[in-house]
Amino acid sequence: MNLFKSKISSNCVYLIILIIVSITNENKIKSSEIYNSNKNDKIEWKPIEEENIEGDDIDWYILDEEENKKEDEVKWLQIQVEEKDEKIKFIKNIENNIKRSNEIKKSNNRFILLNKGKSIPTASTLKNGELRIETNTVSSFSSGNSGGIGNQNYSGLIQYGLNSQITLGIFYTEADDPLFKKIGQYNESSANLWTNFGGNIKYKILNKEYYKISIDGSIENWKVGSGGCFGYNCTSNSKNIFNSKNEKILNNNLIGSISLPITYKLDNKEFSIVPKLSILPKNQGNHNGKRNFYGNNLGIGLGISNKHTKNITTFYSYYIPIIYGYNSFNSNLEYSKENVYTAGLNYNIDHKITLEGYLTNSFGLTPSTSILTMPSTKQIIYGGRFIYTPTNKRNSIIKSQDKESKKQNNQIYKNNNINLLNERETEIVYGVDNKGTQNIIVSRGFSDNFTFEIATENISKKNYDNKYIKTYLQPGNPSIRGGGTVLYNTKKDFYNLKNSLRMTFGRVLGKTRPGYLFAELANSLDINEFITMNVNPKFAFTGDGTLSSLGLNVIYNLNNRMSIIPNINKAIGNSDNTYSLNLERKITKETKLSLGISNYLSNNDMGQLLKDDKLNYKFKVSYNF
């Protein structure tokens, strides 16, 4: 019996072993088949052609180096495989797609601050091939003795990343307002001119994980003028500050600067310390006499920035002059050393557009002159900067937006004198009325959220009693204005609500050239398929007070080609009650005509807030491409 049990047990063991061997061989065959199948069937990687991808509303952004770190770092080892092996082709496909993905990410990096205020550069440089174009303006809060909206300085700057270590720049600035304060016993403010043209180079000499060091230098031609007058077509005369005579003095000076910015990064904060030397002239004048000027200045700057969100960064800076010359003078022509400070906010609208606003006591807008306060005073002024980065590309995955809805959105803004165009779209508008007033507006979509515009207007010559018309519009003289519109909010779930801000600045080109700032908040609601309502508060800021009005209009679409638009501007302060009625007709896909009647003085900015003594009939044609 025991022998029988032993045989049965042995047979069972043999049977189990045979089953295991059979299963193992079968798995080997299947594994071989899978391997051969994978070997023969290549994986093909294809780019997604569509820009709009349906799906969940995912917020995509680029991780910082610190955010992307892991405690246990993954180590990648190179596989030594023959080129002819199919495996290497598969791996190379993966590598190529990773490389392509990284290139897309690099083209959409977050905005990098190159300065914390004009006087304090950081050690950061632009990416290889990156291009930035910016405009900058500073202005006093009041006009002082200079007239107009205040003392202003304007600048334009183009910067280019030659490689990841070297950034090149070229710039131009101009300030031509009379001095903010009268000098001593002078009867009137002296005419003043600061014009700069030059270039700068920044070279990153050290780039570590948490800190970097650069050398930043500039060379500039600084044209300094005083006395006489520098306004467009002006005929007045004033004493200069260099020899106190009633004559114009104009000097060209070769100046420069060199600094050593050291920037340290900690989480979302950046700290910069910047030793800086500005090489400036020590006197100015002519053969009739000279007077001391600023002279060379050596100081140290401190700066800090804090990134609160993906789009918002605040910054603060402080420059302390230490030895050598001066950086400020008062109404008694007494020169002194004054600390220069700046506090501002940087708002990144989208991948191409950045806006910046700040308070400062720095009036110069170049590397060398940025340590100087406003001539004749050291008071706080305000500034604004617009930055356009055309080389940045749209994200590979973006929020889906219906094209027809987008087209309708733009149409509403155009009908409301708010031109919000698609990226790379251009519009030219020409308007004329029965009294001969003409205007031309050229607009360009820099991105889907920002449209730039430049406009010129010439109001027919006529005598008016209104001081704003006589001072800031000056009928019979041309004017030029520039600015833009930014779309900052859209809510499709609430009557397709859209909010945008339009701001322009410019001046009349008359014997005097006072300017004003115009701002308009556009709020649009789709009541139904045919009716859209707009509520637009409007403001014109001048040196003689602020004009304000509440704009209300309704756009009634009769059909796909024709709209009727009644508009009312309800006076709030220093303005008039004005109205208009327009009929718009789309002739072709690119062309639109408009006929209207209004009591506007003119159709551009402040002209809408002031009434004419008679009704005007106007004609307008626009062309999009």
Side-chain angles (χ1 to χ4, degrees), residues 257-309:
S257 69
I258 186 167
S259 61
L260 188 71
I262 303 168
T263 299
Y264 177 78
K265 185 173 182 181
L266 179 63
D267 296 328
N268 290 326
K269 295 180 175 62
E270 267 193 1
F271 304 88
S272 295
I273 181 168
V274 186
K276 183 173 182 177
L277 172 66
S278 295
I279 303 169
L280 303 173
K282 63 179 180 179
N283 57 60
Q284 294 287 277
N286 61 11
H287 61 279
N288 289 324
K290 293 184 178 181
R291 182 169 276 133
N292 291 338
F293 208 41
Y294 296 107
N296 298 337
N297 195 293
L298 178 63
I300 189 165
L302 305 172
I304 181 173
S305 63
N306 186 12
K307 194 168 192 65
H308 301 277
T309 68

Short mmCIF file of all heavy atoms in Angstrom, two decimals, residues 257-309:
data_model
loop_
_atom_site.label_atom_id
_atom_site.label_comp_id
_atom_site.label_asym_id
_atom_site.label_seq_id
_atom_site.Cartn_x
_atom_site.Cartn_y
_atom_site.Cartn_z
N SER A 257 28.09 104.32 -19.23
CA SER A 257 27.92 103.72 -17.91
C SER A 257 28.47 102.31 -17.92
O SER A 257 28.56 101.67 -18.98
CB SER A 257 26.44 103.70 -17.51
OG SER A 257 25.72 102.78 -18.32
N ILE A 258 28.84 101.83 -16.74
CA ILE A 258 29.26 100.44 -16.57
C ILE A 258 28.81 99.98 -15.19
O ILE A 258 28.91 100.73 -14.21
CB ILE A 258 30.78 100.27 -16.75
CG1 ILE A 258 31.14 98.79 -16.71
CG2 ILE A 258 31.57 101.08 -15.73
CD1 ILE A 258 32.55 98.50 -17.18
N SER A 259 28.26 98.79 -15.13
CA SER A 259 27.76 98.26 -13.86
C SER A 259 28.07 96.77 -13.77
O SER A 259 28.33 96.11 -14.79
CB SER A 259 26.26 98.51 -13.70
OG SER A 259 25.54 97.86 -14.73
N LEU A 260 28.01 96.24 -12.56
CA LEU A 260 28.29 94.82 -12.31
C LEU A 260 27.13 94.23 -11.51
O LEU A 260 27.22 94.06 -10.29
CB LEU A 260 29.61 94.67 -11.54
CG LEU A 260 30.13 93.24 -11.35
CD1 LEU A 260 30.63 92.67 -12.67
CD2 LEU A 260 31.25 93.22 -10.31
N PRO A 261 26.01 93.92 -12.17
CA PRO A 261 24.86 93.36 -11.43
C PRO A 261 25.12 91.94 -10.96
O PRO A 261 25.58 91.08 -11.71
CB PRO A 261 23.73 93.41 -12.46
CG PRO A 261 24.39 93.45 -13.79
CD PRO A 261 25.70 94.14 -13.59
N ILE A 262 24.82 91.70 -9.69
CA ILE A 262 24.90 90.37 -9.07
C ILE A 262 23.50 90.03 -8.59
O ILE A 262 22.93 90.73 -7.76
CB ILE A 262 25.89 90.36 -7.89
CG1 ILE A 262 27.27 90.85 -8.35
CG2 ILE A 262 25.98 88.98 -7.28
CD1 ILE A 262 28.21 91.15 -7.21
N THR A 263 22.93 88.97 -9.13
CA THR A 263 21.54 88.61 -8.84
C THR A 263 21.48 87.23 -8.18
O THR A 263 22.07 86.27 -8.68
CB THR A 263 20.69 88.60 -10.12
OG1 THR A 263 20.70 89.92 -10.69
CG2 THR A 263 19.26 88.21 -9.82
N TYR A 264 20.77 87.17 -7.06
CA TYR A 264 20.61 85.93 -6.30
C TYR A 264 19.13 85.56 -6.28
O TYR A 264 18.27 86.40 -6.03
CB TYR A 264 21.13 86.11 -4.87
CG TYR A 264 20.93 84.90 -3.99
CD1 TYR A 264 21.77 83.79 -4.08
CD2 TYR A 264 19.89 84.86 -3.06
CE1 TYR A 264 21.59 82.68 -3.27
CE2 TYR A 264 19.70 83.75 -2.24
CZ TYR A 264 20.56 82.66 -2.36
OH TYR A 264 20.37 81.56 -1.56
N LYS A 265 18.82 84.30 -6.56
CA LYS A 265 17.43 83.85 -6.62
C LYS A 265 17.12 82.93 -5.46
O LYS A 265 17.86 81.99 -5.17
CB LYS A 265 17.16 83.13 -7.95
CG LYS A 265 15.70 82.74 -8.12
CD LYS A 265 15.42 82.19 -9.51
CE LYS A 265 13.95 81.86 -9.67
NZ LYS A 265 13.64 81.32 -11.00
N LEU A 266 15.99 83.20 -4.81
CA LEU A 266 15.52 82.37 -3.71
C LEU A 266 14.02 82.17 -3.87
O LEU A 266 13.23 83.11 -3.68
CB LEU A 266 15.83 83.03 -2.36
CG LEU A 266 15.37 82.27 -1.11
CD1 LEU A 266 16.09 80.92 -1.01
CD2 LEU A 266 15.62 83.10 0.14
N ASP A 267 13.62 80.96 -4.26
CA ASP A 267 12.21 80.64 -4.54
C ASP A 267 11.67 81.62 -5.59
O ASP A 267 12.22 81.70 -6.68
CB ASP A 267 11.39 80.69 -3.25
CG ASP A 267 11.84 79.64 -2.25
OD1 ASP A 267 12.28 78.56 -2.69
OD2 ASP A 267 11.75 79.89 -1.03
N ASN A 268 10.62 82.37 -5.26
CA ASN A 268 10.03 83.31 -6.22
C ASN A 268 10.58 84.72 -6.09
O ASN A 268 10.06 85.65 -6.70
CB ASN A 268 8.51 83.34 -6.04
CG ASN A 268 7.85 82.06 -6.50
OD1 ASN A 268 8.31 81.43 -7.45
ND2 ASN A 268 6.79 81.66 -5.82
N LYS A 269 11.62 84.88 -5.31
CA LYS A 269 12.21 86.20 -5.09
C LYS A 269 13.59 86.29 -5.74
O LYS A 269 14.30 85.30 -5.85
CB LYS A 269 12.31 86.51 -3.60
CG LYS A 269 10.98 86.63 -2.89
CD LYS A 269 11.18 86.95 -1.42
CE LYS A 269 9.84 87.19 -0.72
NZ LYS A 269 8.98 86.01 -0.73
N GLU A 270 13.93 87.51 -6.16
CA GLU A 270 15.25 87.79 -6.71
C GLU A 270 15.83 89.01 -6.00
O GLU A 270 15.13 89.99 -5.79
CB GLU A 270 15.18 88.08 -8.21
CG GLU A 270 15.41 86.89 -9.09
CD GLU A 270 15.63 87.28 -10.54
OE1 GLU A 270 15.62 88.49 -10.84
OE2 GLU A 270 15.80 86.37 -11.37
N PHE A 271 17.11 88.91 -5.65
CA PHE A 271 17.80 90.02 -5.00
C PHE A 271 18.98 90.42 -5.87
O PHE A 271 19.72 89.56 -6.36
CB PHE A 271 18.29 89.61 -3.61
CG PHE A 271 17.21 89.10 -2.70
CD1 PHE A 271 16.86 87.75 -2.69
CD2 PHE A 271 16.52 89.97 -1.86
CE1 PHE A 271 15.86 87.27 -1.87
CE2 PHE A 271 15.52 89.50 -1.03
CZ PHE A 271 15.18 88.16 -1.03
N SER A 272 19.16 91.73 -6.07
CA SER A 272 20.26 92.22 -6.89
C SER A 272 21.04 93.29 -6.14
O SER A 272 20.45 94.14 -5.47
CB SER A 272 19.75 92.79 -8.22
OG SER A 272 19.15 91.79 -9.02
N ILE A 273 22.35 93.24 -6.28
CA ILE A 273 23.23 94.30 -5.79
C ILE A 273 24.08 94.74 -6.97
O ILE A 273 24.63 93.90 -7.69
CB ILE A 273 24.08 93.83 -4.60
CG1 ILE A 273 24.97 94.98 -4.11
CG2 ILE A 273 24.90 92.60 -4.94
CD1 ILE A 273 25.63 94.69 -2.78
N VAL A 274 24.14 96.07 -7.21
CA VAL A 274 24.70 96.57 -8.46
C VAL A 274 25.63 97.76 -8.22
O VAL A 274 25.15 98.90 -8.06
CB VAL A 274 23.58 97.00 -9.44
CG1 VAL A 274 24.17 97.37 -10.79
CG2 VAL A 274 22.53 95.90 -9.59
N PRO A 275 26.94 97.56 -8.19
CA PRO A 275 27.86 98.71 -8.25
C PRO A 275 27.77 99.34 -9.64
O PRO A 275 27.75 98.62 -10.65
CB PRO A 275 29.23 98.07 -8.02
CG PRO A 275 28.95 96.70 -7.48
CD PRO A 275 27.64 96.28 -8.04
N LYS A 276 27.71 100.68 -9.71
CA LYS A 276 27.46 101.33 -11.00
C LYS A 276 28.21 102.65 -11.10
O LYS A 276 28.22 103.46 -10.17
CB LYS A 276 25.95 101.58 -11.18
CG LYS A 276 25.57 102.19 -12.51
CD LYS A 276 24.06 102.25 -12.67
CE LYS A 276 23.67 102.82 -14.02
NZ LYS A 276 22.20 102.82 -14.21
N LEU A 277 28.82 102.88 -12.27
CA LEU A 277 29.51 104.13 -12.58
C LEU A 277 28.84 104.78 -13.78
O LEU A 277 28.71 104.15 -14.84
CB LEU A 277 30.99 103.89 -12.88
CG LEU A 277 31.78 105.10 -13.39
CD1 LEU A 277 31.88 106.17 -12.30
CD2 LEU A 277 33.17 104.67 -13.86
N SER A 278 28.40 106.04 -13.63
CA SER A 278 27.83 106.81 -14.73
C SER A 278 28.80 107.93 -15.09
O SER A 278 29.21 108.71 -14.21
CB SER A 278 26.47 107.40 -14.34
OG SER A 278 25.52 106.38 -14.12
N ILE A 279 29.16 108.01 -16.36
CA ILE A 279 30.12 109.01 -16.83
C ILE A 279 29.34 110.13 -17.51
O ILE A 279 28.82 109.96 -18.62
CB ILE A 279 31.13 108.37 -17.80
CG1 ILE A 279 31.85 107.21 -17.11
CG2 ILE A 279 32.14 109.40 -18.29
CD1 ILE A 279 32.67 106.35 -18.04
N LEU A 280 29.23 111.29 -16.84
CA LEU A 280 28.42 112.41 -17.29
C LEU A 280 29.26 113.68 -17.36
O LEU A 280 30.27 113.80 -16.66
CB LEU A 280 27.23 112.62 -16.34
CG LEU A 280 26.30 111.41 -16.14
CD1 LEU A 280 25.28 111.70 -15.04
CD2 LEU A 280 25.61 111.03 -17.43
N PRO A 281 28.85 114.68 -18.18
CA PRO A 281 29.64 115.92 -18.29
C PRO A 281 29.60 116.73 -17.00
O PRO A 281 28.58 116.76 -16.30
CB PRO A 281 28.96 116.66 -19.44
CG PRO A 281 27.57 116.11 -19.49
CD PRO A 281 27.68 114.68 -19.08
N LYS A 282 30.71 117.42 -16.70
CA LYS A 282 30.79 118.21 -15.47
C LYS A 282 30.41 119.67 -15.67
O LYS A 282 30.26 120.41 -14.69
CB LYS A 282 32.18 118.10 -14.86
CG LYS A 282 33.30 118.68 -15.71
CD LYS A 282 34.64 118.53 -14.99
CE LYS A 282 35.78 119.11 -15.83
NZ LYS A 282 37.08 118.98 -15.13
N ASN A 283 30.25 120.12 -16.93
CA ASN A 283 29.77 121.48 -17.18
C ASN A 283 29.13 121.55 -18.56
O ASN A 283 29.33 120.67 -19.40
CB ASN A 283 30.89 122.52 -17.06
CG ASN A 283 32.06 122.23 -17.98
OD1 ASN A 283 31.90 122.19 -19.20
ND2 ASN A 283 33.24 122.02 -17.40
N GLN A 284 28.32 122.61 -18.77
CA GLN A 284 27.64 122.84 -20.04
C GLN A 284 27.61 124.35 -20.31
O GLN A 284 27.62 125.16 -19.39
CB GLN A 284 26.20 122.32 -20.01
CG GLN A 284 26.08 120.80 -19.89
CD GLN A 284 26.44 120.07 -21.15
OE1 GLN A 284 25.64 119.92 -22.06
NE2 GLN A 284 27.69 119.60 -21.22
N GLY A 285 27.57 124.72 -21.59
CA GLY A 285 27.50 126.12 -21.94
C GLY A 285 28.04 126.37 -23.33
O GLY A 285 28.13 125.46 -24.16
N ASN A 286 28.42 127.63 -23.59
CA ASN A 286 29.01 128.00 -24.88
C ASN A 286 30.05 129.09 -24.66
O ASN A 286 30.49 129.33 -23.52
CB ASN A 286 27.93 128.42 -25.88
CG ASN A 286 27.14 129.64 -25.41
OD1 ASN A 286 27.51 130.30 -24.43
ND2 ASN A 286 26.06 129.94 -26.10
N HIS A 287 30.42 129.79 -25.73
CA HIS A 287 31.47 130.81 -25.64
C HIS A 287 31.04 131.99 -24.77
O HIS A 287 31.89 132.78 -24.33
CB HIS A 287 31.84 131.30 -27.04
CG HIS A 287 30.70 131.93 -27.78
ND1 HIS A 287 29.74 131.18 -28.42
CD2 HIS A 287 30.35 133.24 -27.95
CE1 HIS A 287 28.86 131.99 -28.98
NE2 HIS A 287 29.21 133.25 -28.70
N ASN A 288 29.74 132.12 -24.51
CA ASN A 288 29.26 133.22 -23.66
C ASN A 288 29.25 132.87 -22.18
O ASN A 288 28.89 133.71 -21.35
CB ASN A 288 27.85 133.64 -24.08
CG ASN A 288 27.84 134.35 -25.42
OD1 ASN A 288 28.77 135.11 -25.73
ND2 ASN A 288 26.81 134.12 -26.22
N GLY A 289 29.61 131.65 -21.85
CA GLY A 289 29.66 131.27 -20.45
C GLY A 289 29.26 129.82 -20.22
O GLY A 289 28.55 129.22 -21.04
N LYS A 290 29.75 129.25 -19.11
CA LYS A 290 29.45 127.86 -18.76
C LYS A 290 29.06 127.79 -17.29
O LYS A 290 29.34 128.69 -16.50
CB LYS A 290 30.66 126.96 -19.01
CG LYS A 290 31.04 126.79 -20.46
CD LYS A 290 32.19 125.80 -20.61
CE LYS A 290 32.54 125.60 -22.07
NZ LYS A 290 33.64 124.61 -22.24
N ARG A 291 28.41 126.67 -16.93
CA ARG A 291 28.06 126.42 -15.54
C ARG A 291 28.25 124.93 -15.25
O ARG A 291 28.16 124.10 -16.14
CB ARG A 291 26.63 126.85 -15.26
CG ARG A 291 26.21 126.67 -13.80
CD ARG A 291 24.89 127.33 -13.49
NE ARG A 291 25.08 128.75 -13.20
CZ ARG A 291 24.35 129.72 -13.71
NH1 ARG A 291 23.40 129.44 -14.57
NH2 ARG A 291 24.56 130.97 -13.39
N ASN A 292 28.49 124.63 -13.98
CA ASN A 292 28.68 123.24 -13.57
C ASN A 292 27.45 122.40 -13.90
O ASN A 292 26.31 122.89 -13.89
CB ASN A 292 28.98 123.16 -12.08
CG ASN A 292 30.34 123.72 -11.74
OD1 ASN A 292 31.22 123.81 -12.60
ND2 ASN A 292 30.53 124.13 -10.49
N PHE A 293 27.71 121.11 -14.16
CA PHE A 293 26.63 120.17 -14.45
C PHE A 293 26.81 118.96 -13.54
O PHE A 293 27.46 119.06 -12.50
CB PHE A 293 26.66 119.80 -15.94
CG PHE A 293 25.33 119.41 -16.52
CD1 PHE A 293 24.18 120.09 -16.19
CD2 PHE A 293 25.23 118.36 -17.43
CE1 PHE A 293 22.95 119.75 -16.74
CE2 PHE A 293 24.02 118.01 -18.00
CZ PHE A 293 22.88 118.70 -17.65
N TYR A 294 26.26 117.80 -13.88
CA TYR A 294 26.23 116.67 -12.95
C TYR A 294 27.61 116.08 -12.64
O TYR A 294 27.96 115.86 -11.49
CB TYR A 294 25.33 115.56 -13.51
CG TYR A 294 23.89 115.96 -13.64
CD1 TYR A 294 23.31 116.20 -14.88
CD2 TYR A 294 23.08 116.10 -12.52
CE1 TYR A 294 21.98 116.57 -15.01
CE2 TYR A 294 21.75 116.46 -12.62
CZ TYR A 294 21.20 116.70 -13.87
OH TYR A 294 19.89 117.07 -13.99
N GLY A 295 28.41 115.79 -13.67
CA GLY A 295 29.69 115.13 -13.46
C GLY A 295 29.54 113.63 -13.25
O GLY A 295 28.43 113.08 -13.15
N ASN A 296 30.67 112.92 -13.19
CA ASN A 296 30.66 111.47 -13.01
C ASN A 296 30.03 111.10 -11.67
O ASN A 296 30.09 111.86 -10.70
CB ASN A 296 32.08 110.91 -13.08
CG ASN A 296 32.72 111.15 -14.43
OD1 ASN A 296 32.02 111.33 -15.42
ND2 ASN A 296 34.05 111.18 -14.47
N ASN A 297 29.46 109.89 -11.63
CA ASN A 297 28.78 109.46 -10.42
C ASN A 297 29.02 107.97 -10.18
O ASN A 297 28.77 107.15 -11.08
CB ASN A 297 27.28 109.74 -10.55
CG ASN A 297 26.55 109.66 -9.22
OD1 ASN A 297 26.44 108.59 -8.64
ND2 ASN A 297 26.07 110.80 -8.75
N LEU A 298 29.50 107.64 -9.00
CA LEU A 298 29.71 106.24 -8.61
C LEU A 298 28.81 105.93 -7.43
O LEU A 298 28.80 106.64 -6.43
CB LEU A 298 31.17 105.99 -8.23
CG LEU A 298 31.50 104.57 -7.75
CD1 LEU A 298 31.27 103.56 -8.87
CD2 LEU A 298 32.95 104.49 -7.25
N GLY A 299 28.04 104.86 -7.56
CA GLY A 299 27.13 104.49 -6.48
C GLY A 299 26.84 103.01 -6.48
O GLY A 299 27.43 102.23 -7.25
N ILE A 300 25.93 102.61 -5.63
CA ILE A 300 25.55 101.20 -5.53
C ILE A 300 24.03 101.10 -5.51
O ILE A 300 23.34 101.93 -4.90
CB ILE A 300 26.17 100.55 -4.28
CG1 ILE A 300 25.95 99.03 -4.32
CG2 ILE A 300 25.62 101.16 -2.99
CD1 ILE A 300 26.83 98.29 -3.34
N GLY A 301 23.51 100.09 -6.21
CA GLY A 301 22.07 99.89 -6.29
C GLY A 301 21.65 98.58 -5.65
O GLY A 301 22.39 97.59 -5.68
N LEU A 302 20.46 98.58 -5.08
CA LEU A 302 19.87 97.39 -4.47
C LEU A 302 18.50 97.17 -5.08
O LEU A 302 17.74 98.13 -5.26
CB LEU A 302 19.76 97.55 -2.96
CG LEU A 302 21.04 97.89 -2.20
CD1 LEU A 302 20.72 98.22 -0.75
CD2 LEU A 302 22.03 96.74 -2.28
N GLY A 303 18.16 95.93 -5.39
CA GLY A 303 16.87 95.64 -5.99
C GLY A 303 16.31 94.31 -5.52
O GLY A 303 17.06 93.38 -5.22
N ILE A 304 14.99 94.22 -5.46
CA ILE A 304 14.31 92.98 -5.09
C ILE A 304 13.05 92.85 -5.93
O ILE A 304 12.38 93.84 -6.22
CB ILE A 304 13.97 92.94 -3.58
CG1 ILE A 304 13.29 91.61 -3.23
CG2 ILE A 304 13.10 94.12 -3.18
CD1 ILE A 304 13.06 91.42 -1.74
N SER A 305 12.75 91.63 -6.36
CA SER A 305 11.50 91.37 -7.08
C SER A 305 10.84 90.14 -6.48
O SER A 305 11.51 89.24 -5.95
CB SER A 305 11.75 91.15 -8.57
OG SER A 305 12.55 90.01 -8.79
N ASN A 306 9.51 90.09 -6.57
CA ASN A 306 8.75 88.98 -5.99
C ASN A 306 7.68 88.56 -6.99
O ASN A 306 6.84 89.37 -7.39
CB ASN A 306 8.10 89.41 -4.68
CG ASN A 306 7.41 88.25 -3.98
OD1 ASN A 306 7.58 87.09 -4.35
ND2 ASN A 306 6.61 88.55 -2.97
N LYS A 307 7.74 87.31 -7.43
CA LYS A 307 6.77 86.78 -8.40
C LYS A 307 5.59 86.21 -7.63
O LYS A 307 5.68 85.15 -7.02
CB LYS A 307 7.42 85.72 -9.27
CG LYS A 307 6.61 85.38 -10.49
CD LYS A 307 7.42 84.54 -11.45
CE LYS A 307 6.75 84.43 -12.80
NZ LYS A 307 6.64 85.71 -13.50
N HIS A 308 4.45 86.92 -7.66
CA HIS A 308 3.28 86.52 -6.89
C HIS A 308 2.48 85.44 -7.60
O HIS A 308 1.96 84.52 -6.97
CB HIS A 308 2.40 87.73 -6.61
CG HIS A 308 3.10 88.82 -5.86
ND1 HIS A 308 3.24 88.82 -4.49
CD2 HIS A 308 3.74 89.95 -6.30
CE1 HIS A 308 3.91 89.90 -4.11
NE2 HIS A 308 4.23 90.60 -5.19
N THR A 309 2.33 85.56 -8.92
CA THR A 309 1.63 84.57 -9.73
C THR A 309 2.42 84.38 -11.02
O THR A 309 3.48 84.98 -11.21
CB THR A 309 0.19 85.03 -10.08
OG1 THR A 309 0.26 86.15 -10.97
CG2 THR A 309 -0.58 85.43 -8.82
#
